[in-house]
Amino acid sequence: MILTDAEIGDLLASAGLRLVERVRQEVRLPLPKYVSPASAGPEHGRFDSDPEEVADPDASDFADKVNTGWYRMAAEFGLLDEKREFLLALGRARLGDDSDHEPYEVWFRVQLLDEWDLVRSEVDLLRSGFATLFTDRFVPEFTVASLDGRVMMSTTIWGNGTLSTIAIRP
């Protein structure tokens, strides 16, 4: 069953994200087509989390590290506009849609509220499928972009089981 925008908004609200609208037009991103944030290099404007922000999902400070590192990068690289709005990509499969159709994600304009927690909220729409190979704990994995398309960030789980955020700002 495909989730409605109202249902998506309700789910995101528990993470401290207010759904503003579904994005109907193509989203401009600062990477060439078929280059992902994880495969991007310095020539694409890639910046990685500080080493102390790389988080082990089984560590007691996991949620704090992920939230703090994500927010630092969002502020530093200009993800958030003056209303703290940005774009969030959600996978079609997570939305209950047929994931065999491109694009594989749907973009939503969201606002970061004063009270937010991307990890402890355990919003399934933000859950990493890949992380289940490493841990039973909730691990978020998601991509966001600034409204003007100049900044893109990806919070991702790596092959060694750690999680960090990448910013792309050419």
Side-chain angles (χ1 to χ4, degrees):
M1 181 167 174
I2 297 175
L3 295 173
T4 66
D5 286 4
E7 291 168 327
I8 294 165
D10 288 345
L11 293 169
L12 292 176
S14 64
L17 300 173
R18 184 179 70 82
L19 177 61
V20 176
E21 66 182 346
R22 181 183 292 244
V23 177
R24 304 281 180 199
Q25 70 274 9
E26 186 175 337
V27 171
R28 188 181 111 206
L29 298 173
L31 282 175
K33 195 170 184 164
Y34 304 116
V35 176
S36 72
S39 65
E43 68 275 16
H44 297 108
R46 175 178 164 164
F47 298 87
D48 290 286
S49 292
D50 289 342
E52 66 273 3
E53 295 170 341
V54 176
D56 176 347
D58 294 321
S60 61
D61 63 350
F62 174 71
D64 291 331
K65 273 190 173 186
V66 174
N67 285 328
T68 300
W70 181 87
Y71 187 77
R72 179 195 64 79
M73 293 182 81
E76 181 177 327
F77 292 99
L79 174 73
L80 309 171
D81 75 355
E82 64 280 349
K83 294 180 188 174
R84 296 173 35 129
E85 291 184 359
F86 59 96
L87 302 176
L88 169 67
L90 297 176
R92 285 189 182 278
R94 289 262 182 229
L95 301 176
D97 199 351
D98 182 356
S99 61
D100 290 338
H101 291 64
E102 284 195 48
Y104 298 110
E105 68 277 325
V106 178
W107 288 90
F108 295 87
R109 183 177 185 152
V110 297
Q111 180 183 40
L112 186 67
L113 302 174
D114 290 337
E115 298 294 321
W116 62 273
D117 191 326
L118 302 173
V119 182
R120 289 181 194 90
S121 62
E122 296 191 4
V123 173
D124 198 52
L125 294 174
L126 304 177
R127 181 182 295 275
S128 170
F130 182 59
T132 60
L133 298 173
F134 304 104
T135 183
D136 291 331
R137 189 171 185 179
F138 174 85
V139 175
E141 190 168 35
F142 56 93
T143 299
V144 296
S146 60
L147 298 180
D148 63 9
R150 296 176 62 190
V151 177
M152 178 180 191
M153 289 177 32
S154 179
T155 299
T156 191
I157 188 91
W158 299 99
N160 66 0
T162 62
L163 184 109
S164 67
T165 298
I166 300 166
I168 306 293
R169 188 184 70 189

